[in-house]
Amino acid sequence: MSTSSHSNATLAGDSLNVDLSAVIVAVTGDEPKVLAIHSDDPGIPDALPSGRLESQHRTLEAGLRSWVQRQTGLTLGYVEQLYTFGDSNRIVAGTHAAEEHVLSRILSVGYLALVREARAEVMKSVTIDAVWRDWYRYFPWEDWRGGKPAILARLEQALRRWVAAAPQREEKRLREERVRIAFGQRDIAWSDERVLERYELLYEVGLVPEAHRGLGDSAPPPWAAARDAITEGEIMMADHRRVLATAIARLRGKIKYRPVVFELMPPSFRFLQLQRAVEALAGLRLHKSNFRRLVESQGLVEETGEVDAGTGGRPARLLRFRREVRLDRPVPGSRLPLAR
Amino acid sequence: MSTSSHSNATLAGDSLNVDLSAVIVAVTGDEPKVLAIHSDDPGIPDALPSGRLESQHRTLEAGLRSWVQRQTGLTLGYVEQLYTFGDSNRIVAGTHAAEEHVLSRILSVGYLALVREARAEVMKSVTIDAVWRDWYRYFPWEDWRGGKPAILARLEQALRRWVAAAPQREEKRLREERVRIAFGQRDIAWSDERVLERYELLYEVGLVPEAHRGLGDSAPPPWAAARDAITEGEIMMADHRRVLATAIARLRGKIKYRPVVFELMPPSFRFLQLQRAVEALAGLRLHKSNFRRLVESQGLVEETGEVDAGTGGRPARLLRFRREVRLDRPVPGSRLPLAR
DNA sequence: CCAGTTATACTATGTTTGAGTATAAGGAGG
DNA sequence: CCTCCTTATACTCAAACATAGTATAACTGG
């Protein structure tokens, strides 16, 4: 680009690229789904829909929407920025090393998008293959709906070995505490929201295959003895699994105080259907009548007047989301004790 | 990349810069403070400490810390990413216009940092002058500790004129609703967290001077009749006021369910002092004994054993934050009714 | 018509919050 | 040294909300 060889380059001698990637979530039946770009080549892991920020994109969000449109055919509705990742991990050597050791730093802006039920409307272009995946495919330890997931026993075993392998006493205590908080042991309860914390701990400990990627030392550490432990939980391209973990954590937090689930529901639905959707996202089982009361007392839904037979039991009244409720309505209790 | 004349350029013909800016918060006495870069030239508004991402910066956060260190002499502790702004508003004409109409897009990553009480340790270098400012200087309508701020009456009046000036019926209803939610009118209560929503509404309506900046039409719209209304609330450089609004909103949300206030407190403090700090941030008065009960019941503090006389009343026991409490500990009530 | 499944109503018991009152312990001014 | 002002701390009581149920209703499939 004109003048000197590095003109207009922010990072002298380097180039700066911005990746936009989207975690597009839907709920089908009882399963939380995420849209993934899948390659037929078995060696290539799934990726999130993503692309580079281009100059014709007016805003970051517009750029994201246009990439998703191109890659999946989907037009996004609800979109929310998640986080901007820019670690040195993401500084990768340029493809043409001959060009004076150019480093290309990648800044990656992650987004969360919510769409209504996964229909067949996803495009299958010649080169790109977008598929809906159960998100627990990538995070099997996050689904507690059927009780404690079996894989956790193995992970916890490996984590205990890591704790035991600490060089000093103090270091050991710190490791112990981190595991205890992230995975809810002893007096601390499992928290559905600590998805990112858990993933990052597993990454750091080396219990997740991408931790040994591109670093030469591809041998797993001694505490990851059982080979199974590190192969469960499917890997993703680049740091997309981390972005997905961020998205799950954010969404799990948000459903507790904002009525965002309705972005994922069809126009009319049954109570239990709504409950199953929330359970799918949170990875937890909820108490039926109390959940019902919660939703009713907040005035989030109204009856459509219709009834759904064919559920295999007593027919249910169909509900719709009350449009009058602002999407980002805060909870009644402000958590701070206000004066007068 | 490479090959063509636009080698390594993400944005063909353009260059991409990343700005890092920090909202550095402290509480002194009863005032919420933010660190601002102040120019002696009266025509230049305050700015947030900020700088460009450089290639030697390993991570975005490291870049931020190094800029803050350089500009203010402060070494940051608690830091949290806020948001990445990348609107076309921020695409500004390059300094060397001769160079084939180069546009330089600015991406701006905002951070929130919390530091202990504003001490004199802020550096005064030759060129840069960092000062602690009461954050309500920039957002006078956000401080309800002394009752409804006087300026709000004027803003609401102007907003009513804007609503009335709507071309159609439906548009009018929409404007009415937005104002009602953002500013807490009718049946909706004022929410301390809707800082950004309020600022963006004022911006859109043109009640804030920066809305008419660089656009030629520097004349305020008819509904901003009273000139005073649009001059209150001090302006900041670029979109820094928006970044600050984002930071205040985030912090006000966070203090309700995470014990982050303690990042702003001295090593030991009185109960009322803690309450005043929270009140300063939230811009609201709190109920004394209920606040005390809340803090005590969560086990956030412990007595140091010492006592502080000299408060003008009965001497108070001094407290300290209980280190055992994890900083990002979630609240007990999960807001979802769990099963079994 | 019986078992299984889903829907919906209702209830008893506890915990948390909102809004106080009451009392304690200092300083300053007269 | 008594009174008023300020701050601190303890305690109370009712209303609101949450937890963990039970009970009953209404369908389907075999």
Side-chain angles (χ1 to χ4, degrees):
Chain A
M1 57 172 101
S2 70
T3 56
S4 92
S5 56
H6 301 130
S7 80
N8 291 319
T10 313
L11 305 157
D14 301 355
S15 87
L16 175 57
N17 291 312
V18 175
D19 251 12
L20 303 168
S21 47
V23 176
I24 304 169
V25 176
V27 174
T28 316
D30 293 0
E31 297 203 337
K33 299 280 195 180
V34 63
L35 198 55
I37 305 297
H38 174 253
S39 164
D40 288 330
D41 183 334
I44 296 177
D46 288 355
L48 293 174
S50 67
R52 203 134 283 185
L53 176 66
E54 290 169 354
S55 57
Q56 77 270 17
H57 297 141
R58 285 277 176 71
T59 65
L60 294 176
E61 212 183 286
L64 182 90
R65 285 174 193 273
S66 113
W67 273 114
V68 170
Q69 180 75 254
R70 251 187 284 180
Q71 292 183 1
T72 71
L74 268 186
T75 304
L76 297 180
Y78 180 99
V79 168
E80 157 182 350
Q81 189 183 296
L82 276 178
Y83 199 81
T84 299
F85 303 89
D87 287 6
S88 53
N89 292 342
R90 303 222 52 168
I91 300 184
V92 292
T95 27
H96 302 276
E99 290 178 23
E100 43 178 301
H101 302 293
V102 167
L103 282 180
S104 125
R105 179 195 282 264
I106 298 176
L107 223 88
S108 149
V109 186
Y111 283 82
L112 167 65
L114 305 181
V115 302
R116 259 158 255 288
E117 196 155 279
R119 280 154 294 179
E121 47 170 309
V122 165
M123 191 174 69
K124 283 201 170 203
S125 75
V126 188
T127 48
I128 292 166
D129 202 351
V131 287
W132 288 105
R133 297 272 201 222
D134 184 332
W135 77 23
Y136 295 119
R137 166 195 278 258
Y138 309 105
F139 297 101
W141 55 86
E142 292 292 345
D143 185 7
W144 283 62
R145 287 174 297 172
K148 185 167 177 169
I151 186 182
L152 261 175
R154 265 172 293 160
L155 289 175
E156 284 172 342
Q157 220 181 333
L159 286 166
R160 271 195 297 277
R161 281 194 292 271
W162 174 69
V163 169
Q168 297 143 31
R169 189 149 252 203
E170 179 58 10
E171 171 67 14
K172 189 174 167 182
R173 209 192 53 73
L174 284 171
R175 290 185 180 188
E176 211 151 27
E177 168 123 317
R178 278 188 68 191
V179 172
R180 192 166 126 253
I181 291 167
F183 288 88
Q185 295 169 349
R186 308 270 298 273
D187 53 321
I188 295 181
W190 172 271
S191 162
D192 61 312
E193 292 183 42
R194 277 196 263 270
V195 185
L196 185 60
E197 200 169 334
R198 284 188 280 271
Y199 173 72
E200 287 187 337
L201 184 54
L202 293 178
Y203 188 104
E204 204 178 315
V205 174
L207 293 175
V208 120
E210 58 265 48
H212 325 276
R213 189 160 57 183
L215 289 166
D217 72 300
S218 55
W223 41 79
R227 293 226 73 177
D228 325 344
I230 64 150
T231 47
E232 276 190 83
E234 201 174 304
I235 205 176
M236 295 187 94
M237 209 80 183
D239 63 351
H240 289 184
R241 219 170 164 203
R242 194 170 157 214
V243 179
L244 179 55
T246 310
I248 296 175
R250 179 84 131 251
L251 189 51
R252 283 183 171 182
K254 203 149 191 173
I255 43 170
K256 288 176 193 135
Y257 60 102
R258 305 256 139 111
V260 283
V261 220
F262 299 102
E263 290 292 319
L264 301 164
M265 303 299 293
S268 77
F269 48 86
R270 290 169 294 117
F271 248 121
L272 191 57
Q273 219 178 325
L274 181 64
Q275 183 181 335
R276 292 282 179 254
V278 174
E279 289 176 337
L281 301 175
L284 295 170
R285 282 258 97 94
L286 302 182
H287 187 286
K288 198 165 172 176
S289 41
N290 290 345
F291 176 77
R292 171 185 272 259
R293 186 184 49 194
L294 183 77
V295 173
E296 271 174 341
S297 72
Q298 294 199 90
L300 298 178
V301 295
E302 62 192 2
E303 297 179 12
T304 63
E306 278 153 285
V307 159
D308 179 14
T311 57
R314 171 174 167 176
R317 302 178 209 181
L318 283 175
L319 309 171
R320 74 166 76 89
F321 177 57
R322 285 186 60 224
R323 290 303 206 78
E324 305 86 304
V325 179
R326 276 261 317 186
L327 207 66
D328 58 348
R329 184 185 112 114
V331 274
S334 82
R335 295 239 149 239
L336 285 183
L338 299 183
R340 79 188 49 231
Chain B
M1 344 211 142
S2 70
T3 55
S4 87
S5 59
H6 301 125
S7 77
N8 290 319
T10 311
L11 304 159
D14 302 353
S15 86
L16 176 56
N17 291 312
V18 175
D19 251 12
L20 303 168
S21 48
V23 175
I24 305 169
V25 176
V27 175
T28 317
D30 292 0
E31 296 203 337
K33 300 279 195 180
V34 63
L35 199 54
I37 305 299
H38 174 251
S39 163
D40 288 331
D41 183 335
I44 296 178
D46 288 356
L48 293 174
S50 65
R52 203 135 280 186
L53 176 65
E54 289 168 354
S55 57
Q56 77 269 19
H57 298 141
R58 285 277 177 69
T59 64
L60 295 176
E61 209 181 290
L64 181 90
R65 284 173 193 274
S66 113
W67 274 114
V68 170
Q69 179 76 250
R70 251 186 284 180
Q71 292 184 0
T72 72
L74 268 187
T75 303
L76 297 180
Y78 180 98
V79 168
E80 157 182 351
Q81 189 183 292
L82 276 179
Y83 200 80
T84 299
F85 303 89
D87 287 6
S88 52
N89 292 342
R90 303 221 51 168
I91 300 186
V92 292
T95 29
H96 303 278
E99 292 179 21
E100 42 176 301
H101 302 293
V102 167
L103 282 180
S104 128
R105 179 194 281 266
I106 298 176
L107 223 89
S108 150
V109 187
Y111 283 83
L112 167 66
L114 306 180
V115 303
R116 257 156 256 289
E117 196 156 281
R119 281 154 294 182
E121 48 168 308
V122 165
M123 190 173 71
K124 284 199 171 204
S125 75
V126 187
T127 49
I128 292 167
D129 202 350
V131 288
W132 288 104
R133 297 272 200 221
D134 183 333
W135 77 23
Y136 295 119
R137 165 195 280 259
Y138 308 106
F139 298 100
W141 55 86
E142 293 291 345
D143 185 6
W144 284 62
R145 287 174 297 171
K148 183 165 177 169
I151 186 181
L152 261 174
R154 262 172 295 157
L155 289 175
E156 284 171 343
Q157 219 181 333
L159 286 167
R160 271 194 298 276
R161 281 194 293 271
W162 174 70
V163 169
Q168 299 142 30
R169 189 146 253 203
E170 179 58 10
E171 172 66 14
K172 190 173 168 182
R173 208 192 54 75
L174 284 171
R175 289 186 180 187
E176 210 150 30
E177 168 124 317
R178 278 189 68 191
V179 173
R180 192 166 128 256
I181 291 167
F183 288 88
Q185 295 169 349
R186 310 268 299 273
D187 53 320
I188 296 181
W190 172 273
S191 162
D192 61 312
E193 292 183 42
R194 277 195 264 270
V195 186
L196 185 60
E197 200 169 335
R198 282 188 281 271
Y199 172 71
E200 288 187 335
L201 184 53
L202 294 178
Y203 189 104
E204 204 178 315
V205 175
L207 293 175
V208 120
E210 58 265 47
H212 326 274
R213 190 161 55 183
L215 288 166
D217 72 298
S218 54
W223 41 81
R227 292 226 73 176
D228 325 344
I230 65 150
T231 48
E232 276 189 83
E234 201 174 305
I235 205 176
M236 294 188 94
M237 208 81 185
D239 63 350
H240 289 184
R241 217 171 167 203
R242 192 170 159 214
V243 179
L244 179 55
T246 310
I248 296 175
R250 178 84 133 251
L251 189 50
R252 283 183 170 181
K254 203 150 190 172
I255 44 170
K256 289 177 192 136
Y257 59 103
R258 307 255 138 112
V260 283
V261 221
F262 299 101
E263 290 292 319
L264 301 164
M265 302 300 293
S268 78
F269 47 86
R270 292 168 293 116
F271 249 120
L272 191 56
Q273 219 178 323
L274 182 64
Q275 184 182 333
R276 292 282 178 254
V278 174
E279 289 176 336
L281 301 175
L284 295 169
R285 283 259 96 95
L286 302 182
H287 187 287
K288 199 166 173 174
S289 41
N290 290 345
F291 177 77
R292 172 185 273 261
R293 183 178 53 191
L294 183 76
V295 173
E296 272 174 338
S297 72
Q298 294 199 95
L300 298 178
V301 295
E302 63 193 1
E303 296 180 11
T304 64
E306 278 154 286
V307 159
D308 179 13
T311 56
R314 170 173 167 177
R317 304 176 207 180
L318 284 174
L319 308 171
R320 75 165 74 90
F321 177 57
R322 285 186 61 223
R323 290 305 206 76
E324 306 86 302
V325 179
R326 278 261 316 184
L327 206 65
D328 58 347
R329 182 183 111 117
V331 274
S334 81
R335 295 240 149 237
L336 286 182
L338 298 183
R340 85 182 45 226

